[in-house]
Amino acid sequence: MKERLYEILNEEKVHEIIPFLKELSIEERKTLIPSIKKMDREISKIVMTKNSYHTAGSVNQHSIIDIASFVCMDKKNFGKNYWSLFRNAEQTEQILEWGCPDWFSDFINESVEAEFTAFNYKDILGWSEKGYVQPKPELLGHHLSNYPADLDRYPETLNTHFWYLCEFPSKSLPFRKEWFPIVQKLIAEKKIERKRFLKECLLASNRNFNKNVTGWFMDAFTSLKPTEEELSDLQDELLAGLVSSQSKAVNTILSHLKKIVGAAEFKNEEFSHYLPNLLSSEVKTVVVSSLGLTEKIFQRKKVDPDMLGVALSTAFVSKDDGIQSKAAKIIIKYIPASENMIEALSHYSDNILTNVRPLLVKYIEEKQPELEAIASEKRLLAADENAVQVLQNFEDLMFYLPLAMDDPYSYHCDIALTGFIRFAGDVDEDSVKLMEPVFLKACKTIAKWEVPYLNVLLCNAIINYGLALMEKYPVQLKNLEKIYQKTREEEMTRESYSNYQKKLGPIEDVGADCPARQAFKEIAVYAVEKIKSGDKLPLLFPITHAPCWISPVTLVERLENYQNSNTDPHHLDIQLALQRCALDNTSEAIAETEKRLKGEYRELLLFFFGKNEKPEGKFIHPSWWMTAGITRSPDTVFEEFRSFGYENIPVEFFSGTYQWKTIDNKKNSYYPVELNITIPKYHLEKRKEPLFLEYFVAEQKELNEIPALMLCFPNTPANALAKVIKYCLFYSGIAEVFERNLVLNTANTLYQIKKPLDEIGYLFLGTIFLDGDKTIRGTAAEIWLEHVSCQMMDNARLGRVIGLHEKLEWAPVKRLTDLMQHHMLNVSKNHNTALEELITNIVLQMEEPVTNLKRILEIYHEVLALNHSLVPKEVLEKLNHWKENSSLKKICNLLLKK
């Protein structure tokens, strides 16, 4: 049988595959499944040509395998192939006539999850008629939405299936432009019931459809222009739609409710139950529409004022001046100052804006309670609470390695390598059994196509260590050879690709396609040599405190070990250790250095820790001294280092100071306003004492590793931030997933480092304050909140960055004002003072009014009132100029009175 199948495949005899399969019994077909899978793998291999690629199999060969798979396999083995077999409708019918699998109906019913199928609604009806498929409503609704044709051909289409379309539509329904006119025509011809369709449109608001599908039903409802009588009859559905998660649905429903608010049958009390949820919405249009509808109810109906008034108090959740003013005016006009109303507003008293409070003097205390100042605490980078785990034995190491493989760009790798060096030789016949699951995980991880580079290095080290143990303990580790061979075979199939980087074999042969990876590989090779030789001198670079810090006292202790053994550390190992050293509290380390170290180690650390203002002593290892100088004082050029030979490295990489500007492209470009940052080009040079820094600033292929590389330079992150700014933040409208993830990961890393920002740090933070991604903006706010609490934030510098961006409208101002309103305002007295300084410096950069400047000034007015501050003279000059603008006149005059 196998030979015959191979013959049909190799000779591409498509016409013979069905007769061949017909002759086989069910059991014989099952025995062919492994062969079919193997053949499928062979013909699916990618063949690279100079300009393109294709699969190894021909069209006919793929067709043969598709047919054989369908006939012989069960649903699980066949998978979710909704395309290949069904391209040839006539051939599919032939197969189904004599060999329809018992799983076919379930298979077709599950096609609603498929992105694309080669069969349609008409095919499903045909299969249903012949008994091949028992279609579920979901299937019929989904496929009918993609088939706006021949609707009169089958009676059940309009009688039943059309209503399934309303309940279970395809995601592509909104993009089928034919459906709108078809529905209107069908209603006009009374082939579908108008009232029922209107009801289905409203029910769509709460059916968890995506926003496009929900929007389609809302537009369909509006386009049919429902009468007041129809709207009154559909009140229950209209009101139920007010809890929809889609703002388009809520706004549509509110606009229709306004049309019947004066009707006797309008359900005021029921609407009041929905009002608190509507008024606490984050979508401003929903809140404004809800306030408008509430006012109309008061104007046109006799209602219990407390009923709507208590609900109306929820509007003060928002810190928007317009919303609060509108709510306050409705309360003053229609709602008396009853006990219920006073109590309801008391829950929001702290949130009511200072210029709104006087309007509500009958209902609340006019003066807002004073916020407390937060006592600032100095946070040490290497504090006890963020000390990392220390492994105690070989068993600990084996249990820890899987964690390091799951999170390769964190400090887990440091702990794993430290444990390897200490305990790799502490293995016996019992404990060695723990190696197999670790080895298996390493092989599975490294076998993936896309593997983070540090994972490649770690897994390679684990695999080579496992293979060495297998020679010593062949009985206990007998399965390792089989696991490894399978992984080797997978790699061999990929080595034909020109861009494939080798992962298995000696660690020296692992591919490294950019300088940064070369540095990591060099350190990994050094670590593996220590493991092999049993050298237990500790590595210098592993951190002692999360996320990336080395205690200065620990660095002294580690260097003492090298001093006592008369051994020089690896040049990249010591540089990485210096770069990661926490320099915020070095007094104890200075004392230990003077007591325990001598020679170059002593002079190096006394300079590095700040005891010696200038470098002293013999400079035997220039790279050590240069790294110490850059890390300690990046802005300082030490004359003593000028002879070291690093003058060809651009000075920006040492200082972290880059030229940048926000530029207007005169509105004729795809990117109307750009953020430009100039990063010099640098090619890695061969030298006796290369800097770790050089590997990082030279050409870098993989940007997604930047957050990990930032953790190698926590004292000087500017070079990493500059790269992210250049490639991911040059334009505020970038929405690509890769760029968003990289910016978010970089922002999270900056948050974890918890150091005062430098100039590029402020540029990065100010820019992500305006990012299009809400999560990224939220992270920016968290960095600001913590830095203000710890008195590490220069709000003048941050405000200058944001102001320079927004004077050219680099991003919508609403992103910034929403962040201030929801995350930064009224956190504490300290934060309000910081926010005042931030907004002052943003406004000082502005020249002509920009879109939504009014909102910035409204928040500014509120902060000044909370802080009892006066408007600075420089800002007053701008306000006098801007008050001529009609939209800014009111808020400018309010500020000019301060």
Side-chain angles (χ1 to χ4, degrees):
M1 287 189 300
K2 294 176 187 176
E3 292 77 11
R4 175 68 177 136
L5 182 58
Y6 267 111
E7 181 188 330
I8 293 170
L9 182 71
N10 292 333
E11 297 181 15
E12 301 187 29
K13 297 177 179 178
V14 181
H15 60 284
E16 292 188 15
I17 184 63
I18 292 177
F20 164 66
L21 294 171
K22 274 185 176 182
E23 295 172 1
L24 303 178
S25 67
I26 292 174
E27 289 305 316
E28 287 174 326
R29 289 175 198 163
K30 284 182 181 177
T31 60
L32 278 179
I33 292 174
S35 299
I36 294 169
K37 286 184 175 180
K38 185 178 179 182
M39 293 176 200
D40 188 29
R41 285 196 297 271
E42 288 173 359
I43 66 171
S44 298
K45 285 180 181 176
I46 302 297
V47 177
M48 303 292 293
T49 61
K50 187 174 182 181
N51 298 317
S52 66
Y53 62 89
H54 58 82
T55 60
S58 66
V59 172
N60 284 339
Q61 287 178 320
H62 281 289
S63 182
I64 289 166
I65 291 300
D66 290 338
I67 293 168
S69 301
F70 182 73
V71 172
C72 299
M73 292 181 180
D74 56 19
K75 183 160 72 83
K76 182 180 178 182
N77 280 304
F78 188 67
K80 294 184 177 180
N81 189 346
Y82 297 109
W83 167 247
S84 57
L85 178 74
F86 303 97
R87 281 175 296 190
N88 187 330
E90 186 180 335
Q91 178 181 276
T92 304
E93 285 298 323
Q94 289 176 19
I95 298 169
L96 290 173
E97 282 175 11
W98 63 268
C100 178
D102 56 7
W103 49 265
F104 184 68
S105 179
D106 290 341
F107 173 77
I108 297 299
N109 273 306
E110 290 169 9
S111 69
V112 293
E113 302 297 330
E115 285 190 24
F116 189 74
T117 62
F119 52 86
N120 57 31
Y121 173 74
K122 183 181 171 184
D123 295 321
I124 291 167
L125 291 185
W127 294 334
S128 175
E129 193 176 327
K130 293 176 182 177
Y132 303 147
V133 176
Q134 292 75 50
K136 292 182 179 179
E138 293 93 321
L139 179 75
L140 292 164
H142 176 90
H143 283 280
L144 176 57
S145 2
N146 292 322
Y147 191 77
D150 298 332
L151 301 180
D152 290 324
R153 184 171 178 180
Y154 307 97
E156 63 268 35
T157 298
L158 294 180
N159 292 337
T160 307
H161 301 169
F162 177 79
W163 305 110
Y164 293 157
L165 176 152
C166 295
E167 196 172 350
F168 308 106
S170 158
K171 290 177 184 176
S172 61
L173 172 64
F175 310 107
R176 298 284 184 178
K177 303 301 180 188
E178 308 96 320
W179 273 114
F180 260 144
I182 286 174
V183 169
Q184 290 173 326
K185 182 172 179 288
L186 291 169
I187 288 174
E189 295 172 353
K190 298 191 175 179
K191 290 182 177 178
I192 60 172
E193 185 188 341
R194 174 184 168 89
K195 186 175 179 182
R196 183 177 176 184
F197 181 69
L198 287 172
K199 184 177 180 179
E200 291 294 334
C201 287
L202 294 175
L203 292 174
S205 62
N206 285 313
R207 281 179 168 157
N208 292 322
F209 300 150
N210 69 35
K211 67 178 182 180
N212 292 323
V213 176
T214 304
W216 186 90
F217 281 105
M218 294 302 109
D219 290 339
F221 183 85
T222 302
S223 71
L224 291 171
K225 298 178 180 176
T227 64
E228 286 190 18
E229 184 182 348
E230 287 173 325
L231 291 171
S232 291
D233 290 344
L234 290 167
Q235 264 192 97
D236 289 339
E237 288 74 26
L238 284 163
L239 291 170
L242 292 175
V243 298
S244 172
S245 59
Q246 304 284 357
S247 60
K248 171 75 179 278
V250 177
N251 277 323
T252 301
I253 288 168
L254 286 169
S255 69
H256 287 293
L257 283 172
K258 282 181 185 177
K259 298 173 185 175
I260 59 169
V261 73
E265 58 271 23
F266 184 80
K267 299 180 178 181
N268 308 308
E269 189 171 347
E270 285 86 344
F271 173 72
S272 71
H273 298 318
Y274 293 96
L275 191 55
N277 187 53
L278 293 168
L279 293 177
S280 57
S281 170
E282 289 186 10
V283 182
K284 187 175 179 179
T285 53
V286 170
V287 180
V288 171
S289 295
S290 302
L291 287 171
L293 180 53
T294 306
E295 188 172 26
K296 279 186 177 291
I297 293 172
F298 278 118
Q299 288 169 350
R300 300 188 183 185
K301 313 237 341 153
K302 285 187 177 180
V303 294
D304 175 6
D306 272 6
M307 179 185 72
L308 280 175
V310 171
L312 190 61
S313 64
T314 320
F316 295 99
V317 165
S318 169
K319 291 180 182 175
D320 184 278
D321 182 80
I323 287 171
Q324 288 204 10
S325 297
K326 176 80 170 172
K329 286 172 184 175
I330 296 172
I331 290 170
I332 295 162
K333 190 171 182 179
Y334 298 106
I335 305 169
S338 65
E339 285 186 18
N340 285 343
M341 196 62 211
I342 291 170
E343 184 185 352
L345 281 172
S346 70
H347 298 302
Y348 303 96
S349 180
D350 291 353
N351 219 42
I352 297 175
L353 301 174
T354 51
N355 63 312
V356 176
R357 298 186 78 82
L359 301 175
L360 297 170
V361 68
K362 292 181 184 178
Y363 305 83
I364 59 171
E365 291 181 21
E366 186 173 350
K367 192 175 180 184
Q368 192 163 5
E370 288 282 336
L371 286 171
E372 291 184 9
I374 295 176
S376 174
E377 292 183 16
K378 183 174 174 60
R379 297 184 184 178
L380 295 176
L381 297 173
D384 290 344
E385 58 266 23
N386 61 322
V388 299
Q389 178 181 356
V390 177
L391 303 183
Q392 300 298 323
N393 49 46
F394 180 82
E395 287 78 5
D396 276 2
L397 173 64
M398 290 297 106
F399 288 122
Y400 196 84
L401 285 173
L403 182 62
M405 285 185 271
D406 285 335
D407 195 5
Y409 287 134
S410 74
Y411 59 81
H412 300 306
C413 268
D414 294 44
I415 295 173
L417 277 177
T418 304
F420 246 134
I421 288 168
R422 285 185 64 191
F423 306 119
D426 300 352
V427 59
D428 56 34
E429 291 183 355
D430 290 327
S431 62
V432 77
K433 295 171 186 175
L434 297 171
M435 188 64 209
E436 184 175 325
V438 176
F439 187 89
L440 177 60
K441 184 176 179 69
C443 284
K444 282 186 175 180
T445 302
I446 209 169
K448 296 173 185 173
W449 263 104
E450 297 291 333
V451 189
Y453 191 69
L454 289 188
N455 235 345
V456 172
L457 296 173
L458 178 61
C459 292
N460 178 283
I462 291 169
I463 290 167
N464 285 329
Y465 176 66
L467 293 175
L469 286 181
M470 186 178 68
E471 294 180 6
K472 192 174 179 182
Y473 301 99
V475 176
Q476 291 85 346
L477 300 177
K478 61 182 183 225
N479 294 328
L480 264 56
E481 179 64 32
K482 185 179 177 183
I483 296 168
Y484 181 66
Q485 278 308 119
K486 184 181 177 185
T487 311
R488 280 275 300 146
E489 287 169 13
E490 289 178 5
E491 174 159 88
M492 286 169 67
T493 62
R494 296 172 182 173
E495 286 179 343
S496 58
Y497 296 97
S498 58
N499 62 342
Y500 183 77
Q501 297 290 314
K502 191 169 179 59
K503 299 174 188 173
L504 295 175
I507 198 163
E508 295 85 352
D509 297 340
V510 170
D513 55 358
C514 69
R517 290 179 169 180
Q518 291 168 21
F520 283 131
K521 176 182 168 181
E522 192 173 332
I523 291 174
V525 169
Y526 168 63
V528 167
E529 284 303 317
K530 285 175 73 68
I531 294 166
K532 283 181 182 176
S533 64
D535 175 5
K536 295 200 175 185
L537 265 178
L539 290 167
L540 296 174
F541 76 81
I543 68 161
T544 58
H545 293 77
C548 54
W549 299 108
I550 296 173
S551 157
V553 172
T554 302
L555 181 59
V556 174
E557 292 168 353
R558 289 175 181 173
L559 283 173
E560 185 183 24
N561 286 324
Y562 281 83
Q563 176 181 273
N564 293 343
S565 66
N566 201 26
T567 304
D568 274 355
H570 189 279
H571 70 108
L572 292 181
D573 184 19
I574 188 170
Q575 287 184 64
L576 184 50
L578 292 168
Q579 288 165 190
R580 287 175 158 182
C581 191
L583 296 175
D584 58 333
N585 183 21
T586 58
S587 54
E588 184 184 352
I590 290 170
E592 291 300 312
T593 300
E594 291 177 326
K595 184 166 68 176
R596 302 166 75 161
L597 297 181
K598 55 191 177 184
E600 189 178 23
Y601 290 131
R602 174 189 171 89
E603 301 305 330
L604 174 72
L605 290 194
L606 290 178
F607 162 67
F608 183 54
F609 293 149
K611 174 70 183 295
N612 296 340
E613 187 176 333
K614 291 187 176 183
E616 300 173 4
K618 292 183 178 179
F619 307 136
I620 302 168
H621 297 91
S623 64
W624 303 4
W625 288 92
M626 197 72 185
T627 299
I630 298 164
T631 306
R632 193 198 85 164
S633 309
D635 294 329
T636 306
V637 177
F638 293 98
E639 292 298 323
E640 293 85 350
F641 298 166
R642 288 197 180 275
S643 62
F644 286 176
Y646 299 114
E647 64 279 354
N648 64 319
I649 302 173
V651 68
E652 289 90 335
F653 299 140
F654 296 144
S655 66
T657 304
Y658 293 85
Q659 296 298 314
W660 68 271
K661 59 183 175 180
T662 314
I663 60 169
D664 188 343
N665 285 330
K666 306 303 179 189
K667 308 296 181 187
N668 62 354
S669 166
Y670 183 72
Y671 304 119
V673 183
E674 280 189 60
L675 167 57
N676 280 1
I677 185 167
T678 304
I679 300 179
K681 291 192 180 300
Y682 178 69
H683 299 283
L684 190 64
E685 288 197 9
K686 287 187 177 180
R687 61 174 93 236
K688 183 181 177 183
E689 289 268 347
L691 299 178
F692 192 102
L693 172 76
E694 290 182 77
Y695 289 91
F696 177 55
V697 298
E699 316 88 81
Q700 187 171 308
K701 186 176 178 182
E702 293 294 337
L703 271 171
N704 60 353
E705 294 171 342
I706 283 183
L709 289 163
M710 271 180 71
L711 297 177
C712 297
F713 298 89
N715 286 293
T716 54
N719 293 323
L721 295 175
K723 288 191 178 188
V724 177
I725 292 166
K726 183 174 181 65
Y727 296 109
C728 303
L729 292 171
F730 62 91
Y731 173 55
S732 74
I734 290 178
E736 298 297 326
V737 173
F738 174 81
E739 281 80 3
R740 281 208 314 270
N741 286 341
L742 179 57
V743 172
L744 179 59
N745 290 337
T746 305
N748 283 328
T749 304
L750 188 63
Y751 176 71
Q752 292 168 22
I753 288 174
K754 302 188 188 306
K755 282 265 296 180
L757 303 176
D758 57 13
E759 184 63 30
I760 297 302
Y762 282 108
L763 175 61
F764 178 80
L765 181 62
T767 304
I768 64 172
F769 258 92
L770 306 167
D771 196 89
D773 186 282
K774 192 174 181 180
T775 307
I776 292 171
R777 294 200 304 276
T779 306
E782 289 298 322
I783 294 172
W784 183 83
L785 290 168
E786 182 169 73
H787 278 60
V788 169
S789 296
C790 297
Q791 297 185 356
M792 295 192 298
M793 179 56 61
D794 185 337
N795 287 287
R797 292 172 80 181
L798 181 62
R800 178 177 171 272
V801 169
I802 297 172
L804 288 172
H805 286 344
E806 289 308 84
K807 71 183 280 188
L808 297 178
E809 299 192 58
W810 183 78
V813 168
K814 188 177 184 299
R815 293 177 185 172
L816 174 66
T817 54
D818 283 355
L819 200 64
M820 289 176 172
Q821 184 176 302
H822 297 300
H823 295 276
M824 300 163 68
L825 182 62
N826 262 357
V827 175
S828 74
K829 193 171 182 178
N830 317 46
H831 289 88
N832 280 348
T833 303
L835 186 56
E836 177 188 331
E837 186 181 7
L838 179 67
I839 299 175
T840 298
N841 284 277
I842 291 171
V843 171
L844 285 174
Q845 303 305 318
M846 301 286 184
E847 292 169 2
E848 295 305 313
V850 298
T851 307
N852 262 336
L853 176 59
K854 177 186 174 185
R855 188 73 195 105
I856 292 182
L857 295 178
E858 285 173 350
I859 296 173
Y860 192 35
H861 178 267
E862 176 67 12
V863 173
L864 289 169
L866 290 167
N867 295 341
H868 309 294
S869 300
L870 298 175
V871 179
K873 182 183 175 183
E874 302 93 322
V875 177
L876 287 173
E877 292 171 5
K878 291 183 178 290
L879 295 172
N880 275 309
H881 171 60
W882 292 338
K883 71 179 181 181
E884 303 305 320
N885 183 295
S886 59
S887 67
L888 298 177
K889 185 175 181 179
K890 180 182 175 183
I891 185 61
C892 284
N893 284 329
L894 279 172
L895 284 162
L896 287 167
K897 290 176 186 176
K898 284 207 158 283

